[in-house]
Amino acid sequence: MTTSIRSTAGLAVSTPHEELFARVLDQDSRADPYPLYSALRTEPVSRQSDGTWVVSGYEEINTLLHDPRISSDLRNADSARPAMVRGSLLVQDPPDHDRLRSAVMAKFTPAVVESFRHEVRTLIDGLLDAIGSRTRLDLVDEVAYPLPVSVICTLLGVPREDEARFHSWADTVARNIDNDPSLTRQEIDDINHAAEELGRYLGKLADDHAENPGDDLISGLLSGSSHSAPLTGEDLVVTARLLLIAGHETTVNLITNGMLTLLRHPDLLERFRGEPELVVPMVEELLRYEPSVQFRHRAALADIEIGGTTIPRGSVVVLLLAAGSRDPGHFADADRFVPDRSPNDHFGFGGGMHYCIGAPLARLEAQIVLTELVRRLDDPRLAADPPPYRPTAALRGPRHLWLEVAGIRA
């Protein structure tokens, strides 16, 4: 089956259906993968040429997110690729997943999330004040990255001044989420090496917290709770590594994608400026329309009949969450940004047992930061569109977002 796709340049491109996901992974598609998602949805469960099954329809994704025959551990796939970073609850099944998740949830409570509200407000004010009288800024480097990094460091008990040490490790490890078959052996080795270095750093940090515990999450995981045993050793390291990376990478993208979307819809930006209470449904719509996490990989533990076909046992399955969240069979005007859309049962934070642990904190950060950006940036404009994008396809967001502004309001 060959599908005609309208590219961002406006040209019709014919691509065999079984090659479409390979194009999603291609860096050239990063600025606008949505025409590829639309093409994939014409066959909502499709086998790709490498044997991977891509699920792109809303109902099919929703079903599989809750199906116990789908494993998050790709070692259960027949065509397991060369060894990559493993171990966190993100890639584990019950009972290990449940044990690690319970340990985190026992300490990462709604009260803990709410306690960061003042810090987030203080951080965004300080970052915007630091821009001063400049009329050009990089939203990523100057706001969207430093703010969630500061928050997750405080939450975990990671010294903020160590950011320069773990930044490159975290960026490299994040590439693992794509499960990209085109990665070279050297790139795979680089990912594993970065994971090891980050693990050693976090292991040493955990030893320090064991000797001098504080009110941070790492100390809390070391102590355990009435509902969960303490985490130690590799369990603690891989959990802390996941929280450190996921705790800022996805929020950076949410903030950046959010501002990019608003600047592409100046009428809605002006409406938001006059209706700041719109921020709550608007962030949900951003999670649907331009999600930070575009897809996740799974393995089929049994033959699964779905979408008019059968996914064989042992297959690698890609749940194309961003495609499902724009499925016109489920959402009216699915390709239109509707800031007050309701209901909005998107896949921006995944679903099922792996629903994002950090969702409440990411929502809080995005709601505060986007409100302040729209309020304080005077006449913001995109200096380049599309902006340059980061290499990862699954964690999709601009590497830089250059803005021109008339000034920064008080």
Side-chain angles (χ1 to χ4, degrees):
M1 177 179 178
T2 300
T3 303
S4 181
I5 303 165
R6 184 66 57 179
S7 71
T8 53
L11 302 175
V13 180
S14 294
T15 302
H17 204 279
E18 62 271 16
E19 300 293 339
L20 287 173
F21 188 66
R23 284 193 56 189
V24 170
L25 296 177
D26 193 314
Q27 182 69 31
D28 290 343
S29 302
R30 204 68 76 245
D32 186 15
Y34 296 102
L36 294 168
Y37 297 167
S38 179
L40 279 160
R41 281 196 308 267
T42 64
E43 191 177 330
V45 181
S46 62
R47 186 183 185 278
Q48 301 296 290
S49 59
D50 66 351
T52 296
W53 288 81
V54 175
V55 184
S56 52
Y58 183 94
E59 295 302 330
E60 292 81 6
I61 292 171
N62 194 47
T63 297
L64 293 180
L65 282 170
H66 299 85
D67 193 323
R69 297 172 298 173
I70 286 287
S71 169
S72 296
D73 188 343
L74 292 186
R75 289 174 297 184
N76 289 313
D78 292 341
S79 58
R81 295 183 176 129
M84 299 284 275
V85 180
R86 299 196 184 275
S88 79
L89 59 91
L90 194 66
V91 292
Q92 290 196 34
D93 299 328
D96 288 334
H97 163 271
D98 298 348
R99 175 176 57 84
L100 295 176
R101 187 181 182 96
S102 294
V104 175
M105 295 303 292
K107 300 295 181 179
F108 189 41
T109 63
V112 168
V113 172
E114 184 59 29
S115 71
F116 279 92
R117 184 175 296 276
H118 176 72
E119 178 167 347
V120 173
R121 291 190 183 280
T122 301
L123 285 167
I124 185 59
D125 284 344
L127 291 168
L128 291 175
D129 289 346
I131 295 168
S133 60
R134 286 189 292 115
T135 58
R136 183 179 173 91
L137 67 138
D138 179 3
L139 189 75
V140 176
D141 284 352
E142 298 184 64
V143 176
Y145 178 79
L147 188 143
V149 165
S150 293
V151 171
I152 198 63
C153 283
T154 301
L155 174 66
L156 289 174
V158 174
R160 180 65 178 84
E161 58 269 22
D162 286 353
E163 183 274 336
R165 296 181 62 188
F166 66 73
H167 187 174
S168 62
W169 295 333
D171 273 356
T172 303
V173 173
R175 291 206 65 193
N176 179 54
I177 196 173
D178 280 1
N179 198 42
D180 186 348
S182 71
L183 289 177
T184 66
R185 182 71 252 180
Q186 183 59 55
E187 288 172 320
I188 293 171
D189 289 344
D190 289 345
I191 290 171
N192 283 324
H193 176 71
E196 290 167 2
E197 290 296 310
L198 184 53
R200 275 191 283 270
Y201 166 77
L202 291 170
K204 173 63 168 61
L205 190 65
D207 290 342
D208 294 342
H209 283 264
E211 293 182 8
N212 300 288
D215 58 0
D216 54 86
L217 189 53
I218 288 178
S219 296
L221 293 174
L222 282 165
S223 66
S225 72
S226 59
H227 301 292
S228 62
L231 293 188
T232 57
E234 189 68 9
D235 278 347
L236 179 66
V237 168
V238 297
T239 301
R241 186 176 65 203
L242 169 66
L243 296 172
L244 178 62
I245 295 174
H248 76 270
E249 293 274 358
T250 53
T251 309
V252 172
N253 289 347
L254 178 56
I255 293 169
T256 311
N257 287 335
M259 201 60 194
L260 175 61
T261 299
L262 286 170
L263 290 168
R264 286 172 169 171
H265 297 81
D267 57 328
L268 296 180
L269 187 147
E270 284 305 311
R271 179 185 169 191
F272 179 30
R273 182 172 284 132
E275 302 176 44
E277 67 278 5
L278 190 63
V279 71
V280 173
M282 190 191 72
V283 167
E284 297 308 305
E285 177 69 344
L286 288 169
L287 288 160
R288 183 197 72 84
Y289 183 79
E290 283 279 23
S292 300
V293 179
Q294 301 269 300
F295 56 84
R296 295 295 296 133
H297 283 79
R298 298 288 188 263
L301 298 176
D303 291 352
I304 301 174
E305 294 185 12
I306 190 166
T309 189
T310 300
I311 299 175
R313 177 186 180 277
S315 297
V316 173
V317 181
V318 176
L319 302 181
L320 198 50
L321 304 171
S325 287
R326 287 208 189 189
D327 187 341
H330 188 83
F331 296 96
D333 296 320
D335 285 322
R336 188 165 69 90
F337 180 66
V338 182
D340 52 0
R341 183 185 296 272
S342 180
N344 197 345
D345 46 349
H346 56 75
F347 294 132
F349 288 125
M353 74 172 71
H354 286 283
Y355 187 83
C356 178
I357 288 177
L361 182 58
R363 283 187 169 108
L364 182 145
E365 291 177 87
Q367 289 169 9
I368 293 173
V369 172
L370 290 172
T371 299
E372 287 304 292
L373 286 172
V374 169
R375 184 181 72 84
R376 294 193 60 186
L377 295 182
D378 186 7
D379 190 24
R381 304 171 305 282
L382 292 170
D385 192 14
Y389 276 78
R390 300 166 68 189
T392 51
L395 293 177
R396 176 180 169 270
R399 176 61 191 88
H400 298 283
L401 189 66
W402 288 100
L403 305 184
E404 304 282 357
V405 298
I408 307 295
R409 299 187 181 99

